[in-house]
Amino acid sequence: MRQQNRNVVVVVGGQWGDEGKGKVVDLISPSFDLVARYQGGHNAGHTVKFEDRHFALRLIPSGICREGVLNLIGNGLVVDPRALLAEMDSLRKAGVPIGDNLRISDRAHVILPTHALMDGAREKALGSAGIGTTSRGIGPTYETKAARTGIRMADLVDPDRFVKAVMPLLSYHTDALKHFFQVEAPNVEATLAEYIECGRRLAPMVTDVSVLISERLEAGARLLCEGAQGLMLDLDHGTYPFVTSSSCGPGGAAIGLGLPPSAIGVVVAVMKAYTTRVGSGPFPTELHDEIGERIRTRGGEFGTVTGRPRRTGWFDAIVARTAVRIGGLDALALTKLDILDEEDPIRICVGYRIGDRTLTEIPARIDHYEQACPVYRDFPGWKSSTAGISEFERLPEKARQYVAALEEEVGCRVALLGTGAKRHETILRPGTRLDAWLPATVR
Ligand code: GDP
Ligand code: IMO
Ligand code: MG
């Protein structure tokens, strides 16, 4: 059997998304030749900030701001070609070249306007019982994929093939929207024309990404896989049904890129020093008081995609330990430590009380999880600014103690600490399997 090299690092979200994956991927991407997204779609919003630049990436990997990196959109994604082209245009306008540095899998599935309408109509019909999706058509497109009636990028780029393949799906959607939701689908001719034009523009970038990766790895290239969402939003292992419709963990990277699992060398999860969640679903450590409000304001906790206020709460070690187990984590990247500068005490959830039982695992039944009351360990706050600190020794002692306690509760080392949104507002901590991939200095 062929020996796999293990020049592959996977960065996943360890909580409910928005942990700061964009910052971490951008930061370490100079150590890689390839940066690839492997699941999700433009429900993701990954922020990259440096100097006075600010990018909110949706489908394009966060290696795009680095010269010499080839960015890949894998087969595991669902792609709205209009959103992808708009993102490409806006990056070009901001001075980021897009061309030979971006490739899209021929097997990625295509989001149609009717998928997004279906998503929105379902949410509206559910009212307060809804999932709180981003209404981008993500769930309905993965459903179509699983039903084996989907359209892939390879179909989109050939107008004749596209029209033939998409017509049955469009007419099914049109009927379903009309009969179940009293929603009018857009004009079919207009949709076809718009998508054919998108296909024409994207065609030069569409290729077999699995083959490309395999050939490059064989030649010694280094690959960074960028997860979207987070393990608590994973379709199988998250807080079902309040999840997204894809596999957010490192297993998703293998499937979503056509990459052998044995090629993966290091897995890192990004987690905030507290917790946030957008959309509905249980969140045991959620704060409904002025502390939650302060964290939201200080942390700028408003959705990158939808602008919705994010729900905020304390760090949950049960969630983090679940990520360690499912993700096989080698290291953590702990972001937004600076947001806790004013808090005292600072709490970490180490168990859930449900009725007269204390659990240290997340129950499968959502109605049980909804009843979970957090059991906390309290830590004294440091009550001073950590903003922009880039050396661990310069952190207040109580902040260092909080990080050490968190590592102990989670059972995983912190390799990278965030003290601000920009690249240089980062503390690098050697001593994990991520060492080989950390930059010597942060720029
Ligand atoms: P992603 O979806 O995981 O890439 O995360 P988002 O970009 O949606 O949300 C993370 C937010 O936190 C963004 O606004 C980042 O600029 C910001 N951010 C990331 N790391 C830090 C940090 O260490 N400190 C502060 N203050 N902000 C951070
Ligand atoms: P990044 O990659 C945070 C949430 C939605 C909703 C649920 C399902 O930026 O971390 P969907 O539109 O995917 O069907 O919505 O998942 N959600 C996210 N929350 N960050 C994200 O992405 C998310 N992508 C989806 O709010 O609760
Ligand atoms: Mg985000």
Side-chain angles (χ1 to χ4, degrees):
M1 207 172 92
R2 191 144 50 122
Q3 187 70 33
Q4 294 297 333
N5 75 46
R6 290 165 69 85
N7 273 350
V8 180
V9 174
V10 184
V11 171
V12 299
Q15 295 162 320
W16 276 281
D18 300 327
E19 300 90 348
K21 298 174 291 293
K23 173 182 169 173
V24 172
V25 167
D26 164 71
L27 194 79
I28 64 173
S29 59
S31 302
F32 296 86
D33 306 290
L34 312 169
V35 178
R37 278 275 308 270
Y38 57 83
Q39 42 74 232
H42 65 314
N43 49 349
H46 295 183
T47 313
V48 174
K49 286 187 180 175
F50 54 94
E51 294 154 17
D52 59 350
R53 320 291 312 271
H54 178 171
F55 300 96
L57 300 162
R58 313 284 301 277
L59 280 158
I60 296 180
S62 302
I64 200 71
C65 300
R66 304 287 197 169
E67 235 174 90
V69 170
L70 175 57
N71 293 272
L72 305 170
I73 292 177
N75 59 277
L77 277 88
V78 287
V79 176
D80 184 325
R82 301 164 304 168
L84 177 55
L85 283 162
E87 189 175 345
M88 287 164 54
D89 288 344
S90 103
L91 282 165
R92 284 194 184 110
K93 227 166 151 183
V96 179
I98 305 282
D100 286 345
N101 58 349
L102 181 65
R103 290 291 175 270
I104 307 151
S105 169
D106 49 10
R107 288 165 171 81
H109 276 251
V110 174
I111 300 181
L112 298 170
T114 44
H115 283 120
L117 285 174
M118 201 80 88
D119 195 354
R122 275 192 200 151
E123 282 287 303
K124 194 167 163 217
L126 285 167
S128 61
I131 292 166
T133 73
T134 57
S135 297
R136 299 297 190 267
I138 307 297
T141 308
Y142 279 116
E143 278 177 48
T144 308
K145 174 179 175 175
R148 295 153 297 175
T149 53
I151 308 297
R152 308 200 290 182
M153 290 305 296
D155 306 313
L156 178 72
V157 297
D158 177 329
D160 292 338
R161 164 80 190 155
F162 174 67
V163 172
K164 202 164 158 232
V166 83
M167 281 311 289
L169 186 58
L170 275 180
S171 65
Y172 165 66
H173 278 170
T174 303
D175 281 354
L177 281 165
K178 195 162 167 185
H179 293 305
F180 288 108
F181 302 110
Q182 292 75 52
V183 169
E184 207 60 49
N187 176 280
V188 170
E189 293 305 319
T191 301
L192 292 178
E194 189 181 21
Y195 272 60
I196 287 169
E197 174 56 15
C198 289
R200 189 191 63 73
R201 287 186 62 195
L202 292 172
M205 292 181 170
V206 173
T207 191
D208 188 327
V209 163
S210 169
V211 169
L212 187 157
I213 289 177
S214 169
E215 288 172 358
R216 296 292 177 96
L217 288 183
E218 198 68 26
R222 301 151 302 174
L223 166 67
L224 176 57
C225 308
E226 175 178 7
Q229 289 82 50
L231 277 163
M232 285 298 110
L233 289 170
D234 180 271
L235 180 58
D236 285 85
H237 302 289
T239 47
Y240 191 92
F242 299 99
V243 292
T244 191
S245 301
S246 62
S247 299
C248 311
I255 292 164
L257 293 170
L259 174 79
S262 55
I264 297 172
V266 178
V267 183
V268 183
V270 187
M271 300 190 191
K272 280 174 180 158
Y274 49 96
T275 310
T276 63
R277 167 162 213 173
V278 215
S280 318
F283 178 1
T285 65
E286 183 168 14
L287 291 162
H288 297 281
D289 56 10
E290 73 277 10
I291 302 174
E293 192 54 51
R294 192 162 50 236
I295 291 175
R296 178 159 38 250
T297 309
R298 283 179 54 82
E301 297 297 355
F302 297 88
T304 315
V305 177
T306 56
R308 290 179 290 178
R310 294 177 185 146
R311 299 156 66 193
T312 53
W314 296 117
F315 187 86
D316 188 330
I318 307 301
V319 162
R321 282 205 289 257
T322 305
V324 171
R325 173 168 48 82
I326 292 163
L329 306 184
D330 295 294
L332 300 184
L334 191 69
T335 58
K336 304 191 101 164
L337 188 69
D338 53 304
I339 304 307
L340 297 180
D341 285 350
E342 289 182 10
E343 303 310 327
D344 186 19
I346 296 174
R347 317 188 88 178
I348 292 181
C349 169
V350 295
Y352 300 136
R353 213 158 1 244
I354 300 180
D356 54 6
R357 292 186 310 150
T358 301
L359 301 188
T360 52
E361 304 291 348
I362 298 172
R365 272 179 53 177
I366 206 72
D367 55 332
H368 291 170
Y369 195 38
E370 269 156 3
Q371 294 163 34
C373 293
V375 179
Y376 286 119
R377 260 185 84 187
D378 284 3
F379 301 89
W382 45 91
K383 301 284 271 178
S384 62
S385 175
T386 61
I389 290 180
S390 57
E391 288 159 47
F392 193 67
E393 294 66 35
R394 287 195 44 226
L395 285 177
E397 192 184 350
K398 285 175 181 152
R400 282 182 272 141
Q401 283 167 353
Y402 175 70
V403 174
L406 187 147
E407 286 179 317
E408 180 200 317
E409 286 297 344
V410 176
C412 191
R413 285 265 298 156
V414 172
L416 195 152
L417 257 169
T419 56
K422 294 192 175 173
R423 283 175 185 162
H424 65 276
E425 295 170 321
T426 306
I427 297 170
L428 301 177
R429 294 179 78 219
T432 72
R433 295 186 62 213
L434 191 63
D435 280 2
W437 310 98
L438 290 176
T441 52
V442 180
R443 277 170 294 116

